[in-house]
Amino acid sequence: MSYLSKERTMKTFRLVSLKLLLMKQGTVEEKVVPLQEGLIINREEKDGSWLIEAVIPHEERDFFEKIKNEKNKLVMEVLITDRKNEPAMMAGEVKKTVTLSEKISVMIVAKMTSGKEDISNLILQELIHAGYNGESLLEEFTNRKEDKAEWSRKLAENIYASFDS
């Protein structure tokens, strides 16, 4: 009798940018991480986790060490492979920081939390609640979806609220 093991494959992508959406005193603030290099790995596990490795300047070490030691959850926008791609929203925790010669490596375990469809749904819910319909709904939806930063912050607020529940 032979036993065949199912091999797991992991897909690795280049991390193009990393933006943290941090909750501070009830408000979401953006922090662009000065990424020098990075990878993001789809671990293809049942829990849907991803591993992010960001190589950043040494000056960022204390910031990430504090987050790691306090076990704070982060909401992030990650841009994978190409700057033309839509950013993905992820939530995760800093698991490890490693000091390199002139930089540090930050390891974050994260999960996808939402995509551009979720932002569209959030915009539509707000517009319908505000009473828009027909052509005015379409026009206002088109106008509002242009402000991606604002909707990312609102989505991040919802994600942080889900951490508490």
Side-chain angles (χ1 to χ4, degrees):
M1 180 182 286
S2 71
Y3 295 93
L4 298 176
S5 66
K6 183 178 176 184
E7 282 189 45
R8 286 194 179 143
T9 58
M10 295 187 283
K11 294 178 183 160
T12 303
F13 305 92
R14 185 171 61 97
L15 182 63
V16 176
S17 75
L18 176 62
K19 183 187 327 177
L20 306 181
L21 301 167
L22 304 166
M23 182 64 79
K24 292 190 178 182
Q25 300 170 337
T27 305
V28 173
E29 296 179 8
E30 294 181 3
K31 175 179 173 53
V32 176
V33 177
L35 188 66
Q36 295 179 339
E37 293 181 70
L39 294 174
I40 182 164
I41 302 167
N42 181 344
R43 295 168 51 172
E44 297 199 352
E45 295 177 356
K46 289 182 184 179
D47 69 352
S49 66
W50 292 68
L51 177 64
I52 299 169
E53 181 183 19
V55 177
I56 59 178
H58 193 267
E59 296 80 34
E60 299 288 329
R61 186 176 199 283
D62 290 343
F63 173 81
F64 282 97
E65 277 293 319
K66 182 178 185 216
I67 290 173
K68 181 185 79 155
N69 292 337
E70 294 176 358
K71 298 186 186 314
N72 290 335
K73 291 192 178 188
L74 294 170
V75 176
M76 304 161 276
E77 273 189 351
V78 299
L79 198 55
I80 301 170
T81 307
D82 191 321
R83 291 206 177 275
K84 295 175 190 167
N85 289 341
E86 288 286 326
M89 189 79 74
M90 301 183 91
E93 293 181 46
V94 175
K95 294 297 182 180
K96 187 176 185 179
T97 60
V98 177
T99 302
L100 306 171
S101 60
E102 296 176 15
K103 305 169 190 170
I104 65 166
S105 171
V106 178
M107 302 288 206
I108 303 169
V109 174
K111 291 184 180 182
M112 292 284 182
T113 57
S114 56
K116 62 183 175 182
E117 302 85 28
D118 295 305
I119 291 175
S120 294
N121 289 342
L122 186 63
I123 296 169
L124 281 173
Q125 287 171 355
E126 191 170 292
L127 291 172
I128 290 168
H129 183 70
Y132 286 90
N133 59 42
E135 284 299 314
S136 64
L137 172 66
L138 182 59
E139 185 177 319
E140 190 62 21
F141 175 77
T142 302
N143 291 336
R144 290 192 187 189
K145 74 177 184 176
E146 293 302 315
D147 189 359
K148 293 178 182 173
E150 175 63 23
W151 292 105
S152 290
R153 284 191 292 278
K154 287 185 180 192
L155 198 51
E157 287 173 7
N158 291 348
I159 295 166
Y160 278 110
S162 74
F163 293 157
D164 298 331
S165 54

